[in-house]
Amino acid sequence: MEPLPGYSLDLDAIAAQLKEADIKRVAVQLPEGLRHRHAALLQAIATTAGVEVVYLADHTFGACDLVTDLKPLGAQALLHIGHNRIHATPGQKTIYVPLESLHPIDTVVTAAIPQLRSPVVLCTTSQHLPKLGQMEQILKDAGLEVRTADGGRGCQSGQVLGCHYGAVRNVAAGAASVLFVGSGEFHPLGLALACELPLIVADPYTKEVRTVEQTRDRILRQRNAAIARSYDATHWGVIVGTKSGQIRTALGLRCQALLHKAGHQADLLAVTTLSPEVLLGFPQQAFVSVSCPRIAIDDAARYDRPILTPPELEIHLGLRAWEDYLFDEFP
Ligand code: SF4
């Protein structure tokens, strides 16, 4: 049986890369949704490549979340499965194995056509990216003008991340709609905040085509409420992420300086994985986070105090108008 059913996984190619680098022990990271397959995968890698394999069992949030010190494990390389590279790992052999979903996209992309307005900005996630050309052709055959673009943060043409939508923003001017092909709420929610164009979501797994017209308004109302809840705060925490691809210490220092200038107490708090439990017992009345921007937005209800993004802090301090609300994106 395939170790990761539903995905294209070239074990021979992985084995060849490990052999070429003379790797004897490799550490493996898997996306959360595939952790239940880790045992079959480890066995397949060990057997095919003839190496020792250690599974890194902590939660892995994405390609921003690499383990960068393998020495305690005696591993010579990191095998990061499920995402492509978004940042450098100096001094460490890191092999990225993006996973292509084998799920067909043609039916759901065709079903989305009646809801699209031309020109359409087309985007997806790394797992469907190899089918971007097929998606584009289906839309063009229907007479639609299609735009795809390079983003930043290591994204390939047409690819979006939860913290980066350059592939859409870069070609949004003059476009009439956005088609996102993928599953779940995570990427559509970020897209709705990062771009004001009408957004159509086509889910290859559920075959559902849906609009997210009200999503932007709902999230903006929640963000407005978070900013309002922080108005009485005089003691702030500035949360600086320490995960490999979430480090924005300079931005954290800038936020701290802005808060000091406004007469507030503000402490820099370095956190690897933020959770409500981590903040228990801290006296700060409000926080601004410069780590993963989705913590403040998606997880707000889990926290007992407001957590703002840097652009939201600017609104709070009167340095940015609410009408100029900006989704906090990694460059
Ligand atoms: S910073 Fe957040 S949104 Fe961006 S890749 Fe990491 S987990 Fe995903």
Side-chain angles (χ1 to χ4, degrees), residues 24-43:
K24 305 282 190 254
R25 186 180 301 159
V26 66
V28 174
Q29 281 187 306
L30 262 184
E32 289 307 302
L34 293 173
R35 60 168 33 216
H36 65 290
R37 298 295 309 167
H38 75 277
L41 180 68
L42 299 194
Q43 194 176 357

Side-chain angles (χ1 to χ4, degrees), residues 61-65 86 153 161-163 186 245-246 291-294 330:
F61 292 90
C64 63
D65 194 7
I86 63 172
R153 193 151 165 76
L161 294 169
C163 56
F186 186 67
Q246 296 185 6
S291 62
C292 172
R294 301 302 296 264
F330 272 83

Side-chain angles (χ1 to χ4, degrees), residues 62-82:
C64 63
D65 194 7
L66 303 183
V67 171
T68 54
D69 184 9
L70 300 174
K71 285 196 193 81
L73 298 173
Q76 298 93 33
L78 174 68
L79 198 58
H80 183 85
I81 295 177

